[in-house]
C-alpha cells in the first residue's frame, strides 16, 4: 500500500495514524514519515523530498523581503534549506544553530522555526497527516535530562504532538529493522547482543550500546562534533585572507560568519565524499554551493571556497593535535563508560562517518569488534525516529489486541471447553478412585490433603493434556496478532501454569469431597466398633435370658445392628454422599468465566515479553 493510499479511510485505531521522524542536524536535516496502518508494516520510512529536490536539507534559515506579503507580516518571509542559501535578498542568514538551550529562553529558537517551516511545507503536500500524527525529534544522547527537557520546550509552539528520542538510539532502531528484515522479521539475539552505535554529527558525537537487546545511551560526546573542523577551517581562512578587502567586508556583513562556516563545511564534505555512489549523488546536496546567493556573500564563496580547494583537509583532521585525536580521546572515554562490556559490532553513522579516520579510530579502540559504516548516514536518524514511532504505536495496538482476546468468542470457547473437560476428567478419576476406598474402613491418611488430591485426581497428567490442548488451539490466534504487528513469534509456546490458575478452584471443591469420604470412613470405623460392643453385650444377655420371648427379641436386635452398622451399609451411605458432593464440585458458570479471564491474562502477560523486546529499543526519553 502506498503512503498516499494509507492516508485515506483508515479504520479507527489506538495511537496516531502517521509518525514523522524529524532529524534537526546542526549541518543537515531530514524528515521521514510512515503510516501506522498494519497493512503497511513492511513499508520502509519514506524520505520527504522538497520541491527544490532536497532530501538532505541544509540546516539554514534566512529572512528575505516578501513583496507580496503572503507568508508573513507583509515585509519578510522565512526561507529554509537550499532556498535560504540561494536567497539573493536575505536580511538575515543563519546556519548551525542547533545548541543546548536553557529553560528560561523566551525567544522562539531557530531550530523550532526551521522545524515549523519544514513541517508546514510537508503538511501542505500531505494535508491528511496533521489530523492524526506524532512527530519524533532526535536529540544528542549525551545531553542531560534537564537539557533534554529544555530542548523539548523549544517545540511546544508546534501544533502537533512531539516526542524526543536520542539520535543514536533511533539509528539503532533502524539497524535492528534492517537486521530483522534480513532474518525474515526475526531478531537474532546473539547478533544484536553487543552493538555500539557511534553517531558522528556536526555538533555532537552520540554513543548507544546494546547489551542483550537493552539499549544504553552513554553520557559522553556532547561537546565534540564535526563543526569544530568547520570552525578551524574558518579560522584558517580569516588568517589567510585577512588582507583581502572584499573578503573581510563580506565577512563583516550580517550573516557573513554563518555563510563562511557553510562554505567550510561544504569544502570539507566534498573532500571526504568520493561522490561515486549513485544514491549520494541523487540525495545529497552538501558538496556544492549554489551559483545564486546574496551578492554580499560572493567573495566568501568564490575566494574562500577557492582557497579551501587547494587545502588537504583530511590531512589536517588526521594531524597530531587535530580533530582525530580528540575523537580518539572520546572513544577512550566511551570505553571507560562501558567497563567490562565489549561490543561485537560497531555501527558508524552520521555525517562525520564519511571520514575514514572515524572508522579507523573505532577499530583501534575496539580491535575485536567488526566496524560497519551506515550506508545512508544522512537519513539514518530520521528514518530511525519514524520507525521507532511506528513500533511504539504497534506495541500499544498489539497489547490491546492481545488483551481483547478474552472478549473473542472463539478464544474464550476454547478455554472454557478445555477447562470444563479438565474438571470433568479429574472429577471422574477422583470418583472412581475414592469410591474404591470407601468401605475399607481405614483411618484418615497422614498424607497432606493437597498431595492426596493431586494423586487421586491425577492433576499433573490432566494438566499436561490441558496445556497441550490449549496451546494447539490458542497459539494460531495469538500468532496471527504477533505477525500483524511484527512481534517476534519464533519458537512460540504458551505456558499457562495451569495448576496456579485452575487447581485452586478444583482443590477447594474436592477438599469437601474428601473430607466427606474421610468422615464416612471414620463413621464406618466407629460404627463397626460400636456394633461389635453391642453385639457382644446382647449375645451375653441372650445366653442368660430365660424367657423365650426375650431371647427372640435379642436375636432380632442383633440382626438389626448387624444390618445397620455393617461396612456395606456405611459404604452405601458414603457413596451416595460422595456422588452428591462430586456433583456439587463441578464449577459454576461464573467461576469458569473468571478462570477464562485469568487464563487469557496469563497468555497476555507472556506475549507481552515479546513486545518489551521492541519497546526497549524504541522507548523515548520523554
Amino acid at each position: 500500500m502506498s503512503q498516499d493510499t494509507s492516508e485515506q479511510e483508515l479504520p479507527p485505531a489506538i495511537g496516531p495514524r502517521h509518525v514523522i521522524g524529524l532529524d534537526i542536524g546542526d549541518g543537515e536535516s531530514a524528515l521521514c514519515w510512515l503510516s501506522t496502518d498494519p497493512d503497511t508494516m513492511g513499508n520502509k520510512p519514506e524520505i520527504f523530498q522538497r520541491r527544490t529536490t532536497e532530501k538532505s536539507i541544509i540546516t539554514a534559515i534566512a529572512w528575505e523581503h516578501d513583496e507580496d506579503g503572503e507568508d508573513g507580516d507583509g515585509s519578510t518571509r522565512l526561507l529554509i534549506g537550499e532556498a535560504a542559501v540561494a536567497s539573493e535578498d536575505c536580511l538575515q542568514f543563519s546556519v548551525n544553530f542547533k545548541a543546548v538551550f536553557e529553560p528560561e529562553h523566551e525567544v522562539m529558537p531557530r531550530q523550532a522555526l526551521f522545524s515549523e517551516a519544514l513541517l508546514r511545507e510537508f503538511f501542505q503536500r500531505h494535508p491528511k497527516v496533521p489530523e492524526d500524527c506524532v512527530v519524533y525529534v532526535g536529540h544528542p544522547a549525551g545531553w542531560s535530562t534537564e537539557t533534554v527537557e529544555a530542548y523539548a520546550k523549544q517545540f511546544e509552539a508546534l501544533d502537533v504532538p512531539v516526542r524526543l528520542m536520542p539520535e543514536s538510539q533511533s539509528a539503532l532502531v533502524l539497524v535492528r529493522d534492517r537486521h530483522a528484515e534480513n532474518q525474515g522479521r526475526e531478531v537474532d539475539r546473539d547478533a544484536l547482543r553487543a552493538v555500539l552505535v557511534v553517531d558522528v554529527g556536526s555538533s555532537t558525537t552520540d554513543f548507544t550500546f546494546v547489551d542483550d537487546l537493552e539499549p544504553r545511551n552513554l553520557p559522553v560526546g556532547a561537546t565534540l562534533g564535526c563543526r569544530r573542523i568547520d570552525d578551524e577551517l574558518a579560522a584558517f581562512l580569516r588568517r589567510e585572507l585577512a588582507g583581502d578587502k572584499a573578503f573581510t567586508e563580506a565577512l563583516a556583513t550580517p550573516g557573513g560568519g554563518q555563510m563562511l562556516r557553510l562554505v567550510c563545511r561544504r569544502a570539507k564534505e566534498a573532500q571526504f565524499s568520493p561522490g561515486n555512489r549513485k544514491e549520494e549523488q541523487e540525495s545529497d546536496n552538501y558538496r556544492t554551493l549554489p551559483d545564486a546567493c546574496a551578492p554580499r556573500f560572493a567573495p566568501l564563496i568564490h575566494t574562500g571556497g577557492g582557497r579551501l580547494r587547494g587545502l588537504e583537509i583530511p590531512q589536517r583532521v588526521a594531524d597530531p593535535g587535530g580533530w582525530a585525536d580528540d575523537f580518539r580521546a572520546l572513544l577512550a572515554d566511551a570505553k571507560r563508560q562501558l567497563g567490562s562490556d565489549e561490543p561485537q559490532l560497531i555501527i558508524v553513522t552520521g555525517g562525520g562517518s564519511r571520514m575514514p579516520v572515524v572508522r579507523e579510530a573505532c577499530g583501534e579502540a575496539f580491535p575485536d569488534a567488526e566496524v560497519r559504516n551506515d550506508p545512508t548516514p544522512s537519513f539514518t536518524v530520521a528514518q530511525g525516529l519514524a520507525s521507532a514511532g511506528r513500533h511504539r504505536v504497534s506495541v500499544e495496538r498489539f497489547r490491546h489486541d492481545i488483551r481483547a482476546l478474552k472478549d473473542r468468542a472463539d478464544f474464550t470457547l476454547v478455554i472454557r471447553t478445555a477447562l470444563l473437560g479438565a474438571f470433568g476428567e479429574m472429577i471422574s478419576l477422583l470418583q472412581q478412585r475414592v469410591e474404591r476406598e470407601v468401605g475399607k474402613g481405614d483411618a484418615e491418611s497422614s498424607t497432606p490433603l493437597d498431595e492426596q488430591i493431586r494423586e487421586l485426581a491425577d492433576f499433573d497428567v490432566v494438566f499436561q493434556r490441558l496445556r497441550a490442548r490449549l496451546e494447539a488451539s490458542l497459539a494460531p490466534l495469538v500468532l496471527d496478532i504477533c505477525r500483524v504487528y511484527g512481534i517476534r513469534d519464533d519458537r512460540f509456546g504458551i505456558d499457562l501454569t495451569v495448576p496456579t490458575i485452575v487447581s485452586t478452584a478444583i482443590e477447594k471443591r474436592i477438599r469437601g469431597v474428601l473430607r466427606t469420604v474421610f468422615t464416612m470412613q471414620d463413621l464406618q470405623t466407629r460404627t463397626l466398633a460400636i456394633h461389635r460392643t453391642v453385639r457382644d453385650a446382647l449375645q451375653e444377655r441372650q445366653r442368660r435370658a430365660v424367657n423365650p420371648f426375650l431371647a427372640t427379641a435379642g436375636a432380632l436386635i442383633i440382626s438389626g445392628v448387624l444390618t445397620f452398622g455393617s461396612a456395606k451399609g456405611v459404604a452405601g451411605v458414603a457413596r451416595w454422599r460422595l456422588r452428591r458432593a462430586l456433583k456439587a464440585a463441578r464449577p459454576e458458570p461464573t467461576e469458569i468465566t473468571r478462570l477464562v479471564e485469568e487464563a487469557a491474562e496469563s497468555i497476555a502477560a507472556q506475549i507481552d515479553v515479546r513486545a518489551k523486546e521492541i519497546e526497549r529499543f524504541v522507548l523515548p526519553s520523554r
Side-chain angles (χ1 to χ4, degrees):
M1 179 183 293
S2 68
Q3 298 288 350
D4 290 332
T5 302
S6 67
E7 292 179 5
Q8 303 174 5
E9 300 180 357
L10 287 175
I14 295 173
R17 289 178 172 174
H18 302 93
V19 177
I20 298 169
L22 186 56
D23 174 26
I24 308 298
D26 196 51
E28 58 191 32
S29 299
L31 185 152
C32 295
W33 66 296
L34 278 169
S35 166
T36 62
D37 181 358
D39 291 342
T40 67
M41 278 298 298
N43 291 8
K44 296 179 181 179
E46 182 174 336
I47 303 169
F48 175 59
Q49 180 172 318
R50 304 182 67 202
R51 296 194 186 281
T52 58
T53 72
E54 293 172 272
K55 287 186 176 181
S56 176
I57 304 164
I58 302 171
T59 307
I61 56 176
W63 284 263
E64 74 171 12
H65 288 294
D66 181 14
E67 297 179 358
D68 297 330
E70 295 178 354
D71 296 322
D73 59 3
S75 58
T76 62
R77 64 176 176 177
L78 178 67
L79 302 176
I80 64 172
E82 194 77 21
V85 177
S87 172
E88 297 185 8
D89 192 23
C90 68
L91 304 173
Q92 297 182 47
F93 177 77
S94 182
V95 296
N96 300 113
F97 42 74
K98 183 177 181 180
V100 179
F101 285 87
E102 300 299 329
E104 60 269 15
H105 271 265
E106 297 180 358
V107 179
M108 189 176 186
R110 285 168 292 180
Q111 69 258 45
L113 290 171
F114 180 90
S115 303
E116 187 176 48
L118 181 56
L119 284 170
R120 183 169 61 247
E121 183 178 329
F122 171 75
F123 290 152
Q124 288 173 351
R125 299 265 296 277
H126 303 278
K128 288 189 176 293
V129 173
E131 297 174 3
D132 192 4
C133 73
V134 62
V135 179
Y136 277 72
V137 178
H139 69 81
W143 281 5
S144 67
T145 301
E146 294 75 19
T147 300
V148 173
E149 290 175 351
Y151 189 58
K153 291 183 180 296
Q154 316 307 316
F155 299 95
E156 290 180 351
L158 299 180
D159 196 24
V160 290
V162 176
R163 292 185 180 182
L164 269 62
M165 183 174 184
E167 291 164 348
S168 54
Q169 186 175 344
S170 69
L172 178 62
V173 173
L174 196 62
V175 171
R176 181 193 181 282
D177 286 351
R178 289 170 179 164
H179 173 78
E181 183 181 356
N182 294 335
Q183 296 292 321
R185 296 183 71 178
E186 294 180 5
V187 175
D188 184 348
R189 298 180 68 95
D190 291 334
L192 294 181
R193 185 180 60 81
V195 180
L196 180 64
V197 176
V198 183
D199 181 11
V200 186
S202 182
S203 60
T204 63
T205 298
D206 289 357
F207 295 84
T208 293
F209 180 71
V210 179
D211 183 11
D212 193 22
L213 298 182
E214 186 76 36
R216 172 159 54 107
N217 298 308
L218 305 185
V220 298
T223 60
L224 180 66
C226 296
R227 186 202 296 178
R228 184 177 300 182
I229 302 173
D230 305 337
D231 290 341
E232 291 173 357
L233 294 175
F236 167 79
L237 288 180
R238 289 173 186 268
R239 293 192 303 269
E240 290 289 306
L241 300 175
D244 189 308
K245 181 180 179 182
F247 179 86
T248 55
E249 288 179 351
L251 188 60
T253 62
Q258 297 286 309
M259 178 58 75
L260 179 62
R261 179 181 286 170
L262 179 61
V263 169
C264 293
R265 181 177 192 276
R266 291 211 164 184
K268 174 196 67 181
E269 299 288 359
Q271 292 197 25
F272 278 114
S273 301
N276 55 3
R277 293 182 55 185
K278 184 174 184 294
E279 59 269 27
E280 286 190 352
Q281 292 175 359
E282 291 178 347
S283 62
D284 293 341
N285 55 7
Y286 52 78
R287 288 189 294 273
T288 58
L289 283 167
D291 294 331
C293 65
R296 65 178 186 269
F297 294 146
L300 302 177
I301 296 173
H302 300 301
T303 306
R307 179 68 180 85
L308 291 176
R309 278 194 290 271
L311 191 68
E312 288 293 330
I313 297 176
Q315 185 60 51
R316 292 179 66 90
V317 170
D319 281 343
W323 185 91
D325 280 353
D326 292 336
F327 181 69
R328 291 188 181 95
L330 182 59
L331 284 169
D333 191 7
K335 191 168 186 175
R336 284 191 294 271
Q337 289 283 338
L338 290 174
S340 60
D341 293 327
E342 286 285 338
Q344 296 177 336
L345 173 65
I346 298 176
I347 303 293
V348 184
T349 188
S353 66
R354 299 183 181 95
M355 298 188 293
V357 70
V358 168
R359 178 171 181 153
E360 293 168 6
C362 288
E364 294 168 2
F366 301 97
D368 295 330
E370 177 189 357
V371 182
R372 295 182 194 168
N373 277 78
D374 191 294
T376 57
S378 297
F379 310 114
T380 299
V381 170
Q383 288 177 316
L385 289 167
S387 183
R390 178 172 63 181
H391 282 309
R392 288 283 291 172
V393 173
S394 294
V395 167
E396 291 176 12
R397 292 179 183 173
F398 168 78
R399 285 190 171 124
H400 173 270
D401 288 356
I402 286 292
R403 296 193 179 278
L405 279 173
K406 65 177 183 294
D407 299 322
R408 285 178 50 175
D410 54 348
F411 187 83
T412 56
L413 179 61
V414 168
I415 300 178
R416 186 181 300 273
T417 303
L419 292 179
L420 286 173
F423 268 112
E425 188 176 351
M426 283 183 278
I427 289 174
S428 176
L429 287 169
L430 185 66
Q431 181 171 347
Q432 296 172 23
R433 297 188 180 194
V434 173
E435 282 194 355
R436 289 200 297 267
E437 299 296 319
V438 175
K440 291 183 179 179
D442 296 333
E444 182 175 351
S445 171
S446 61
T447 304
L449 187 57
D450 290 343
E451 294 183 19
Q452 293 184 59
I453 293 172
R454 182 170 297 282
E455 180 180 353
L456 289 168
D458 243 351
F459 267 23
D460 292 336
V461 175
V462 173
F463 285 149
Q464 287 175 6
R465 286 197 287 267
L466 174 60
R467 276 194 292 266
R469 191 180 304 125
L470 287 175
E471 180 171 353
S473 301
L474 299 181
L477 302 178
V478 175
L479 293 182
D480 284 346
I481 298 175
C482 288
R483 292 174 184 132
V484 165
Y485 295 110
I487 303 296
R488 184 174 63 89
D489 58 16
D490 56 309
R491 300 180 299 278
F492 181 82
I494 298 176
D495 182 7
L496 286 177
T497 58
V498 181
T500 302
I501 296 174
V502 181
S503 64
T504 301
I506 296 177
E507 289 178 8
K508 181 179 178 181
R509 294 182 176 276
I510 294 178
R511 278 173 180 271
V513 175
L514 289 188
R515 286 199 179 99
T516 298
V517 173
F518 294 150
T519 299
M520 296 309 298
Q521 288 177 326
D522 184 58
L523 175 61
Q524 174 188 344
T525 302
R526 293 174 184 273
T527 301
L528 291 177
I530 294 172
H531 157 263
R532 285 192 292 270
T533 301
V534 173
R535 181 194 61 192
D536 292 344
L538 289 175
Q539 285 177 345
E540 179 63 25
R541 291 193 180 200
Q542 184 182 20
R543 285 195 301 270
R544 295 177 183 179
V546 179
N547 190 318
F549 173 77
L550 291 177
T552 303
L556 290 173
I557 290 172
I558 291 171
S559 175
V561 170
L562 289 171
T563 301
F564 177 77
S566 68
K568 181 178 180 180
V570 174
V573 175
R575 289 190 178 93
W576 176 76
R577 293 192 63 181
L578 174 63
R579 293 189 189 98
R580 292 191 62 185
L582 286 171
K583 184 177 181 180
R586 297 184 183 278
E588 299 291 337
T590 55
E591 192 169 36
I592 283 292
T593 298
R594 179 180 61 81
L595 294 176
V596 168
E597 291 178 351
E598 289 186 17
E601 183 67 26
S602 174
I603 292 173
Q606 292 173 68
I607 305 305
D608 198 56
V609 174
R610 311 299 174 90
K612 287 179 179 177
E613 290 184 2
I614 293 179
E615 194 171 43
R616 286 199 296 265
F617 270 83
V618 303
L619 189 64
S621 61
R622 59 177 285 117

